[in-house]
Amino acid sequence: MCSGFPGSSPCLRSSYFGKQLIRSSSSSAAKYRAVRRARSQNEFFVKLSIVVEELDESLFWLEMLIFTEIVSETRLSDLMNEGYQLLKILSKARSSANSGS
C-alpha cells in the first residue's frame, strides 16, 4: 500500500484514512449495539441517528481511499455497496421510528 519512503505523503494519508475508517466503523457497530438496548422510542431514534451518522462517515473514508487512489474502486465496490445498503436500511428504520413517536 505504501511505496517509497515510510514518511511519504501517500503513506501518511493511507494511515490517517485507515485509522479514521477503523474508528468510525467500530463506533457504528458499538453504537448499534446500544440502539438495541434503548429504553424508549426517543432514545432509540437518537442512538440510531448516531449510528447512521457514523456509518455515513465510514463510507466517506472509503470514498477518500478511492479518490486518492490508495485503494482501487474495484477492490472496495462490494464493501461500499454493502455499506450503502446498511445506510438505507438504518435510515428507513430511523424514519419509521421518528414517525411512530
Side-chain angles (χ1 to χ4, degrees):
M1 187 182 277
C2 291
S3 59
F5 297 103
S8 67
S9 185
C11 282
L12 292 176
R13 279 195 308 257
S14 64
S15 177
Y16 178 75
F17 293 166
K19 286 177 183 176
Q20 291 296 96
L21 177 59
I22 290 168
R23 185 201 58 75
S24 62
S25 59
S26 60
S27 178
S28 298
K31 288 186 169 70
Y32 180 74
R33 183 176 178 172
V35 167
R36 297 182 316 153
R37 294 190 170 101
R39 295 167 291 207
S40 69
Q41 191 73 8
N42 286 338
E43 186 178 5
F44 177 85
F45 176 78
V46 169
K47 289 179 183 282
L48 191 54
S49 295
I50 295 168
V51 172
V52 168
E53 185 177 329
E54 292 288 338
L55 180 55
D56 187 52
E57 183 181 338
S58 297
L59 289 166
F60 168 80
W61 291 115
L62 288 171
E63 290 169 0
M64 288 302 295
L65 287 169
I66 294 167
F67 178 74
T68 57
E69 299 179 347
I70 293 170
V71 180
S72 71
E73 186 172 358
T74 306
R75 193 159 181 208
L76 291 179
S77 64
D78 288 343
L79 186 58
M80 299 259 323
N81 287 335
E82 187 172 336
Y84 284 120
Q85 288 175 24
L86 285 170
L87 190 59
K88 286 179 185 177
I89 291 166
L90 295 173
S91 294
K92 180 69 175 171
R94 182 179 63 173
S95 296
S96 296
N98 192 32
S99 64
S101 51

